[in-house]
Each structure stands twice: as C-alpha cells, then as structure tokens.
C-alpha cells in the first residue's frame, strides 16, 4: 500500500472513530444516542487503528 493511501485511510479511520466516540454527546435522539454509545469499543478500535496507520505512513515517508 502506498504511503499516501495509508495516510488517507488512517485519517478516515481516525475520523470515524472520533465521530463514534463523540456521537453520544452530540446526538439529540435518545435512540441514536444509545445505539452509538453501544459501539464505544468499535470507536476506540477505529481511533487507535487510524492513528497507528498515520504514524506508520509518516515514518515510512521520512525514510
């Protein structure tokens, strides 16, 4: 995978993870809030995976 693709995918993955984690605080509908709050594990996984992909892409770019 090219570094630019990994950087873009990492950024999108981190964005999705942050959106899932911040969703319960922003959403107004109780049904949506409960549904998104139940996916916190997925949100943390996506955020950590996205940050890791960004770090790997930046380290490869420096070489």
């Amino acid at each position: 995978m090219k570094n630019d693709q990994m950087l873009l995918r990492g950024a999108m993955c981190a964005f999705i993870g942050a959106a899932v984690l911040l969703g319960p605080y922003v959403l107004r509908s109780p049904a949506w809030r409960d549904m998104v709050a139940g996916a916190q594990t997925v949100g943390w996984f996506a955020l950590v995976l996205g940050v890791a992909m960004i770090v790997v892409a930046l380290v490869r770019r420096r070489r």
Side-chain angles (χ1 to χ4, degrees), residues 13-38:
C13 195
F15 175 74
I16 290 170
V20 168
L21 290 174
L22 295 175
Y25 302 107
V26 178
L27 296 172
R28 297 176 193 240
S29 170
W32 279 97
R33 189 178 307 137
D34 292 340
M35 182 179 65
V36 173

